[in-house]
Amino acid sequence: MRLREARGPWTLQEGLEDSPEQGEVIEGCRLPVLRRNQDNEDEWPLAEILSVKDISGRKLFYVHYIDFNKRLDEWVTHDRLDLKKIQFPKKEAKTPTKNGLPGSRPGSPEREVKRKVEVVSPATPVPSETAPASVFPQNGSARRALAAQPGRKRKSNCLGTDEDSQDSSDGIPSAPRMTGSLVSDRSHDDIVTRMKNIECIELGRHRLKPWYFSPYPQELTTLPVLYLCEFCLKYGKSLKCLQRHLTKCDLRHPPGNEIYRKGTISFFEIDGRKNKSYSQNLCLLAKCFLDHKTLYYDTDPFLFYVMTEYDCKGFHIVGYFSKEKESTEDYNVACILTLPPYQRRGYGKLLIEFSYELSKVEGKTGTPEKPLSDLGLLSYRSYWSQTILEILMGLKSESGERPQITINEISEITSIKKEDVISTLQYLNLINYYKGQYILTLSEDIVDGHERAMLKRLLRIDSKCLHFTPKDWSKRGKW
């Protein structure tokens, strides 16, 4: 999970006239810092010093590991710094920001938008949305053919290095939608929002270590633990405050309407206008684990769908997604998050599946708002792949002829937007040239891998358990 960042104007300490004294570490310095990698081995990646603080005569340094995801940023002690290879920033004027306020410190790297370099194959175009697909066996493997029209290019079957972006259908990543609902505008990112400000969050029986900055009140950021009511998400500064709140809080589930229940899993629909306090607290919590989204205190234009697990004590929040009441770009998800204690258990894919079930009831096709987080992108890629393969493998021949299906039909059945259907077929590298036409080919490896994946996918949405009536939000009186 890497985060690309433009390199700033850095110089080595040797030969620099105005460098600080030997061994003095200041904000903006870059130097190797000792950390443990995933294999529990010591490594010395290059890191940038974002802040320095002194606690009882002991200095601590907040570091960002260059080219690593910001969730790995941390406070380190002096003995983990390699002072022999320290680099100091050149002295420059502070970067001005909007309204003339100073930005980050001198010499800090400027954030810039980079586009991925895609390998383009002119021989494999995007298939026509109305071209029929057909099935035929060859060499003992399942084969499915899809006629396509030439003229468009496809990207290579690689995910690229930018895990926080989402590919568009023609292989060119979409630029962040700055006028959209929750896309973060990084142009005014400053030193404050680059640092985690909450040490730990206690939510019910879980203690969570935040990954990113979240704009909780500043007086709470110095506390060792921030206590949250797991039902209304109200925050308190101490366990005593939380206990006093729990004697008054009569909620045992999220506010709003329960629109789905199967087993212990429930979904609640929360209107951002009617339940403003809960929605704002949910956004504050989610921002601790989402770096690519900004936070709006105006929650009126949004609906929030909270997934919970039920036990004798109540309905405990597992994750959620939000969506605009009115989206001109067919977005059916604005933000989506599974809380860390519930990750890698299939809940993320269940949230995605639920969002498309709502789109089916609405009679629309949908797509998530970009950019997706690294975990979100992996989940969506997996969901799209499994859903489309499930459709293709379920096709049956009639009268001895190969069954046929079009891109439009796949989109209508699944409610996945056509561009996402096409990009997924390209990502799986299923489009091939065969006997004068472009076809979709499913090999035994693809089929076997899909069947193994579906055996592990135990959590599924049952449409019979969904009780949801869509509203026409274009009539503002319903807001």
Side-chain angles (χ1 to χ4, degrees):
M1 295 177 285
R2 299 294 177 106
L3 184 66
R4 294 175 305 163
E5 191 166 346
R7 296 301 176 103
W10 303 97
T11 59
L12 291 173
Q13 183 177 3
E14 291 79 16
L16 190 61
E17 295 180 359
D18 297 326
S19 295
E21 296 180 5
Q22 178 71 24
E24 182 182 356
V25 181
I26 61 173
E27 294 177 7
C29 289
R30 290 191 176 190
L31 72 171
V33 176
L34 176 65
R35 69 178 296 272
R36 289 286 180 95
N37 60 21
Q38 293 179 338
D39 299 323
N40 206 29
E41 298 172 345
D42 289 347
E43 60 180 7
W44 293 84
L46 185 65
E48 179 184 355
I49 305 295
L50 298 185
S51 183
V52 182
K53 67 180 180 181
D54 194 313
I55 299 180
S56 302
R58 185 189 184 203
K59 277 195 173 183
L60 295 175
F61 306 88
Y62 192 86
V63 299
H64 165 64
Y65 298 102
I66 307 302
D67 294 330
F68 284 77
N69 194 293
K70 281 171 58 178
R71 74 181 63 166
L72 299 176
D73 295 359
E74 60 180 335
W75 289 98
V76 301
T77 53
H78 192 275
D79 57 337
R80 290 175 58 182
L81 309 179
D82 185 357
L83 300 178
K84 296 179 182 178
K85 298 180 180 179
I86 191 169
Q87 304 172 22
F88 293 98
K90 289 182 179 179
K91 289 193 174 182
E92 297 176 357
K94 288 188 176 181
T95 308
T97 62
K98 194 174 181 180
N99 303 325
L101 297 174
S104 52
R105 72 219 155 278
S108 65
E110 297 289 340
R111 291 184 177 272
E112 61 182 28
V113 178
K114 293 185 178 181
R115 290 188 176 274
K116 287 192 293 182
V117 178
E118 301 288 353
V119 181
V120 178
S121 172
T124 315
V126 172
S128 169
E129 296 166 359
T130 58
S134 52
V135 184
F136 63 95
Q138 182 173 345
N139 297 331
S141 62
R143 299 270 184 173
R144 301 166 201 264
L146 174 63
Q149 296 176 349
R152 294 184 69 186
K153 299 178 180 179
R154 66 178 277 273
K155 72 181 187 67
S156 64
N157 182 20
C158 63
L159 195 57
T161 57
D162 186 3
E163 292 179 323
D164 285 332
S165 71
Q166 172 68 25
D167 300 325
S168 61
S169 60
D170 57 1
I172 302 175
S174 304
R177 181 175 65 120
M178 297 309 179
T179 59
S181 60
L182 292 170
V183 172
S184 176
D185 181 359
R186 307 309 293 269
S187 60
H188 300 140
D189 206 12
D190 58 22
I191 188 64
V192 174
T193 59
R194 292 181 68 190
M195 295 172 52
K196 297 176 211 174
N197 58 334
I198 303 296
E199 182 68 26
C200 181
I201 291 176
E202 183 171 305
L203 181 68
R205 60 180 177 271
H206 300 293
R207 282 207 169 185
L208 315 177
K209 296 282 287 185
W211 295 347
Y212 307 111
F213 170 88
S214 183
Y216 278 101
Q218 190 168 359
E219 61 269 21
L220 302 179
T221 61
T222 58
L223 301 174
V225 180
L226 181 63
Y227 295 88
L228 267 62
C229 171
E230 63 175 325
F231 300 114
C232 72
L233 302 184
K234 185 176 180 180
Y235 45 84
K237 61 182 180 180
S238 68
L239 182 58
K240 189 174 182 179
C241 289
L242 175 63
Q243 291 171 340
R244 186 165 60 245
H245 165 79
L246 290 176
T247 62
K248 304 173 185 177
C249 183
D250 55 359
L251 278 180
R252 288 300 173 265
H253 58 76
N257 299 321
E258 185 182 11
I259 61 174
Y260 179 91
R261 182 188 293 189
K262 185 175 183 180
T264 60
I265 301 295
S266 290
F267 279 86
F268 290 82
E269 182 184 55
I270 293 117
D271 189 323
R273 182 182 69 85
K274 293 180 180 178
N275 301 104
K276 190 167 293 187
S277 177
Y278 180 90
S279 300
Q280 290 176 351
N281 288 336
L282 178 60
C283 288
L284 283 170
L285 173 62
K287 184 62 186 69
C288 291
F289 307 98
L290 295 172
D291 184 44
H292 59 293
K293 300 290 184 181
T294 188
L295 185 144
Y296 284 174
Y297 284 97
D298 179 16
T299 58
D300 289 15
F302 297 97
L303 293 169
F304 298 85
Y305 295 90
V306 177
M307 180 168 66
T308 64
E309 257 190 353
Y310 174 77
D311 64 16
C312 60
K313 294 183 178 180
F315 295 80
H316 308 278
I317 181 171
V318 171
Y320 90 106
F321 68 88
S322 60
K323 64 185 289 188
E324 295 176 273
K325 293 175 180 176
E326 291 183 276
S327 174
T328 57
E329 295 169 290
D330 298 327
Y331 290 137
N332 63 356
V333 166
C335 283
I336 186 167
L337 172 72
T338 306
L339 291 174
Y342 299 97
Q343 289 177 0
R344 304 185 67 84
R345 291 165 58 179
Y347 290 116
K349 205 164 290 178
L350 198 67
L351 281 166
I352 295 172
E353 186 177 1
F354 189 78
S355 70
Y356 281 105
E357 285 296 327
L358 297 184
S359 295
K360 290 176 185 178
V361 176
E362 294 170 339
K364 301 176 181 178
T365 59
T367 188
E369 184 179 287
K370 284 74 172 181
L372 291 167
S373 67
D374 49 1
L375 298 178
L377 177 58
L378 290 173
S379 296
Y380 266 96
R381 282 292 190 202
S382 178
Y383 173 79
W384 289 333
S385 300
Q386 291 179 7
T387 303
I388 293 171
L389 287 172
E390 200 170 29
I391 296 295
L392 296 179
M393 291 172 59
L395 294 175
K396 297 180 181 179
S397 60
E398 297 179 2
S399 304
E401 295 183 1
R402 295 189 296 270
Q404 296 189 349
I405 193 169
T406 65
I407 297 291
N408 278 338
E409 289 171 342
I410 295 175
S411 181
E412 290 172 5
I413 294 170
T414 62
S415 283
I416 299 174
K417 202 171 182 180
K418 288 179 287 191
E419 290 80 1
D420 294 330
V421 173
I422 294 170
S423 67
T424 301
L425 294 175
Q426 295 171 340
Y427 172 77
L428 294 172
N429 202 24
L430 299 184
I431 304 173
N432 293 281
Y433 189 75
Y434 181 73
K435 290 187 178 180
Q437 65 176 348
Y438 293 94
I439 64 169
L440 256 173
T441 306
L442 286 179
S443 66
E444 283 185 340
D445 290 340
I446 291 285
V447 173
D448 292 343
H450 171 72
E451 290 175 346
R452 286 195 300 269
M454 295 306 290
L455 288 175
K456 296 178 182 178
R457 189 173 164 187
L458 303 178
L459 295 175
R460 298 296 299 270
I461 294 296
D462 185 350
S463 58
K464 297 176 183 177
C465 300
L466 176 62
H467 304 283
F468 169 70
T469 303
K471 294 182 181 179
D472 182 7
W473 294 104
S474 61
K475 299 176 181 177
R476 292 303 177 97
K478 293 191 176 182
W479 276 39

